[in-house]
Amino acid sequence: MTVQQQTAEIGAFVRFLRDVEARSVPDAGWYGVFAARDPEGLRACLDGVEILPWDVVESLLRDLGESPEAAAHARALHAAAAAAYDRRPGGAESLRARRALMDGERRGAEARARELAARLRTAPPAEAAGLSAELSWAHDDLLRAAARVVELTSRLEAVPAPVPEAPPVPEAAPRPAPEPARRKPRGARYAWLEEDAPATPAAPVLPTVQAAPPRGARFGGAPETPTPAPARPAVPPADHAGAGRAAGNAVYALQRLRAQGRSGEAYALLCEALAGPPGWLPALAYELGRAGLAADWATLLWEAASLPPQPYAAVVGALADAGRAEDCEQLLRQGVARPVDELAEAVTALEAGGRAEETRTLLAALVRTRTPEEAAEFAGVRPGHLVPLLLAAVRTSAPAHEPALLHALRAAGLPTA
């Protein structure tokens, strides 16, 4: 690919991005959030100096109400621009540094979300609304960081290996090979880390602008195709002992609470749904989608990802049985951020329920988004059973990661054969 082609691809995406900016409301929605949190970074992306993370692009498109076809076109422009950007000298090194920063951001947001969730469970009503808002932003930070780890991993795997230079002609003086200049990592753009910040950041700061409820990254992160908001099924799922009636009542109550500004109670109502039968959740997803409350369903999915392993596996199974494949996959991707000992229990629970496909999806996400050391720690929970599963997953879904994983397993004293 020539430099001119690279410039053309980045330029096409920049022109598209500027059109999105021109149609966005300056101080509202996600554009207002991103502009307030990192105006310099946003401007760098609009100038083509950086590539905007896909979850940010997707959020901006959602604010504008773009069609799935327009989102697919945007995804293609973004992928072409990112590929051209990553092929520049030092691209692979920069991607690795960015991915390390985003993994640190993911860990910090995960810890913050767990802390806030624990406080919310015992908080008095006067504090519940504020904590609920903080938790919503912590969830959004975590989901964006996790999505970007996946995106950066995919981009890194797509960078072609450098072609070795031909040996010099005999008697000719060897030419000194240039070292591409090491660029300062800037991968934390829109994760709201300073470039010289520690790997594990402090709690995210709430924006000072009125913004729409966090939702953008909940539907993004997969590198292959755009992931729209959960689509409303053509027909409601089969009713399980009054699930449809209960879901309709819950949505009605949720709408009343939202209209009255009682966001803390609305959040609590959503969480209560997870205490009911898992088989009822597809009906609730349908009713939320029909009422235009897809963002609340995304919040519910996030909360389900933090359930203990057994209930978590039960929800995964219920969504799979109801044919909600995208929701099921999203829940599995979100669940991979939990501690490795809980991940091991979740895998066991999925296997016990006969969920072989879902088990493979969870393991594939693990080897692609967690570090080799974390994967080895996961396997160490039950080496005889989990090591073979992990090796099968990495060989099938991420073969480029196998050498690093094998090294981590050996360093941990685990079998690799």
Side-chain angles (χ1 to χ4, degrees), residues 132-156:
S132 177
E134 288 189 64
L135 182 59
S136 182
W137 282 110
H139 283 169
D140 190 70
D141 288 344
L142 175 53
L143 290 173
R144 289 185 187 278
R148 290 171 201 177
V149 169
V150 173
E151 179 184 338
L152 291 167
T153 298
S154 177
R155 286 170 58 181
L156 182 60

Side-chain angles (χ1 to χ4, degrees), residues 270-297:
L270 282 174
C271 293
E272 286 174 8
L274 296 176
W280 287 23
L281 291 176
L284 181 57
Y286 171 78
E287 293 296 337
L288 286 169
R290 190 169 68 165
L293 299 175
D296 284 314
W297 172 243

Side-chain angles (χ1 to χ4, degrees), residues 28-390:
W30 278 113
Y31 183 86
V33 173
F34 299 133
R37 285 185 163 186
D38 191 359
E40 179 188 349
L42 183 58
R43 178 50 50 191
C45 293
L46 289 168
D47 291 341
V49 178
E50 293 283 349
I51 298 297
L52 199 65
W54 171 246
D55 67 277
V56 176
V57 180
E58 193 174 38
S59 297
L60 298 177
L61 294 178
R62 289 194 186 286
D63 277 353
L64 296 175
E66 294 286 4
S67 66
E69 293 76 15
H73 175 65
R75 189 70 179 98
L77 290 175
H78 180 272
Y85 187 89
D86 297 340
R87 287 190 181 99
R88 302 189 307 178
E93 182 183 56
S94 176
L95 286 170
R96 290 189 189 95
R98 293 173 182 220
R99 186 173 63 177
L101 282 172
M102 290 315 308
D103 197 51
E105 173 72 1
R106 177 187 63 78
R107 292 169 183 269
E110 178 186 1
R112 177 65 173 161
R114 291 185 182 280
E115 174 200 345
L116 289 169
R119 289 170 58 190
L120 185 61
R121 283 193 286 269
T122 58
E127 298 179 16
L131 286 173
S132 177
E134 288 189 64
L135 182 59
S136 182
W137 282 110
H139 283 169
D140 190 70
D141 288 344
L142 175 53
L143 290 173
R144 289 185 187 278
R148 290 171 201 177
V149 169
V150 173
E151 179 184 338
L152 291 167
T153 298
S154 177
R155 286 170 58 181
L156 182 60
E157 291 174 349
V159 175
V163 178
E165 295 185 4
V169 178
E171 285 90 32
R175 294 181 179 180
E179 294 297 42
R182 183 184 180 94
R183 293 179 292 167
K184 194 172 184 179
R186 301 176 69 182
R189 292 290 192 195
Y190 307 104
W192 311 293
L193 275 177
E194 294 298 329
E195 293 180 14
D196 58 350
T200 303
V205 178
L206 295 180
T208 57
V209 298
Q210 286 297 109
R215 65 186 187 279
R218 302 188 202 284
F219 308 106
E224 293 84 6
T225 57
T227 311
R232 185 196 312 174
V235 295
D239 195 8
H240 291 279
R245 183 174 63 255
N249 291 339
V251 170
Y252 175 75
L254 185 64
Q255 288 174 315
R256 287 181 60 86
L257 291 170
R258 293 275 188 229
Q260 296 167 11
R262 296 155 67 184
S263 58
E265 292 171 76
Y267 176 79
L269 177 64
L270 282 174
C271 293
E272 286 174 8
L274 296 176
W280 287 23
L281 291 176
L284 181 57
Y286 171 78
E287 293 296 337
L288 286 169
R290 190 169 68 165
L293 299 175
D296 284 314
W297 172 243
T299 298
L300 192 61
L301 274 183
W302 168 249
E303 291 301 329
S306 299
L307 286 171
Q310 291 288 345
Y312 168 76
V315 174
V316 168
L319 295 175
D321 289 342
R324 300 190 68 93
E326 290 184 7
D327 289 340
C328 185
E329 184 176 351
Q330 182 175 335
L331 182 57
L332 289 166
R333 289 201 311 266
Q334 291 172 347
V336 83
R338 64 174 62 228
V340 292
D341 57 338
E342 291 187 14
L343 267 180
E345 291 183 47
V347 167
T348 301
L350 289 170
E351 286 188 303
R355 303 290 175 183
E357 182 178 352
E358 289 74 26
T359 300
R360 287 192 294 269
T361 300
L362 183 60
L363 289 169
L366 188 156
V367 297
R368 288 175 64 87
T369 62
R370 302 293 289 262
T371 66
E373 292 73 22
E374 289 172 329
E377 186 182 352
F378 159 84
V381 176
R382 280 186 295 278
H385 182 62
L386 295 179
V387 168
L389 289 178
L390 200 61

Side-chain angles (χ1 to χ4, degrees), residues 399-413:
H401 294 194
E402 184 178 0
L405 176 60
L406 288 171
H407 176 77
L409 290 172
R410 294 188 187 106

